[in-house]
Amino acid sequence: MSIRNVYAEGDAAEETTSPNTNLYNVIINYVFADGSIAENPYTSKIGVSGTITDKVTFPVIQGYKATLNGNDTTEYQFNLKGSELTEDFVLNVVYQPTLVNYTVIVMQQNVDNDNYNQVASVTKQALTGTVIEADQEVDVSYPGFYQLMHEKVTVAASGNTTVEVKFDRYYYLMTFDMGDGGYGVLPVY
């Protein structure tokens, strides 16, 4: 970067180009833990004779908490003097997943058909982005029922993730002993 300096000496003017502008960029990057951009960065400039004493409040991102140098924080207080800088000033605010709610809807198979009825709704917590595996238990059991596998679901930052877990009834094969010479029916479930 170059700047144009004009000096007036009598009727003559001199133009010079300087590679050092004595301006430094002040940048706060807002990124997720994987390095992807969470929000547009905060940017400012400071000259050698300038100071910045502003307080910057970090953007709130649902389901994530802002960390600076590994510590949870919501803001940064600048106390920068341009005369003390030798290069651009850069801070990286990393957004880490935080606990959010998700809902487990528990469904039981009906007695008279293969449809299901909702019998419970359980609110749980997990970190944003956690995958609720297909074989993860619901921490409930019902006599006469067994839990089916469910679809993998990723917990959303919004806290509105729903996992539907179905329980099927146990079936038993019943056979009838009619004794000697009796008439019977075929085995039934």
Side-chain angles (χ1 to χ4, degrees):
M1 183 172 176
S2 64
I3 60 170
R4 183 173 178 248
N5 295 319
V6 180
Y7 301 97
E9 293 181 16
D11 293 329
E14 177 184 341
E15 185 178 60
T16 62
T17 302
S18 170
N20 183 1
T21 63
N22 294 326
L23 282 176
Y24 296 103
N25 294 309
V26 176
I27 302 166
I28 300 178
N29 294 312
Y30 305 110
V31 297
F32 291 114
D34 66 1
S36 62
I37 296 172
E39 286 284 333
N40 291 329
Y42 165 91
T43 60
S44 185
K45 290 191 182 288
I46 186 173
V48 163
S49 61
T51 60
I52 297 179
T53 57
D54 298 338
K55 182 186 291 186
V56 175
T57 302
F58 302 148
V60 174
I61 300 177
Q62 187 176 19
Y64 293 87
K65 61 183 174 187
T67 62
L68 183 61
N69 299 324
N71 299 314
D72 295 358
T73 186
T74 57
E75 62 189 21
Y76 182 79
Q77 177 68 49
F78 281 109
N79 191 11
L80 286 178
K81 294 181 181 174
S83 60
E84 296 174 355
L85 293 176
T86 58
E87 60 185 21
D88 291 343
F89 181 83
V90 179
L91 282 177
N92 289 316
V93 177
V94 179
Y95 285 85
Q96 300 288 346
T98 189
L99 287 175
V100 294
N101 290 339
Y102 70 95
T103 304
V104 177
I105 304 293
V106 181
M107 309 287 284
Q108 281 184 345
Q109 186 180 33
N110 295 333
V111 174
D112 52 351
N113 60 36
D114 287 336
N115 294 330
Y116 294 85
N117 287 328
Q118 181 176 333
V119 294
S121 176
V122 181
T123 300
K124 296 183 146 228
Q125 287 193 323
L127 293 175
T128 299
T130 299
V131 176
I132 307 301
E133 296 290 336
D135 60 349
Q136 187 167 350
E137 293 296 321
V138 184
D139 298 332
V140 294
S141 62
Y142 299 98
F145 291 88
Y146 62 95
Q147 181 180 334
L148 300 177
M149 299 282 283
H150 61 84
E151 187 177 325
K152 286 185 182 182
V153 177
T154 302
V155 177
S158 62
N160 64 358
T161 303
T162 301
V163 180
E164 188 174 281
V165 179
K166 293 181 177 177
F167 285 83
D168 267 4
R169 293 182 176 281
Y170 282 111
Y171 286 93
Y172 299 95
L173 179 62
M174 296 174 52
T175 57
F176 300 94
D177 182 3
M178 297 298 187
D180 290 334
Y183 292 96
V185 294
L186 296 175
V188 295
Y189 279 99

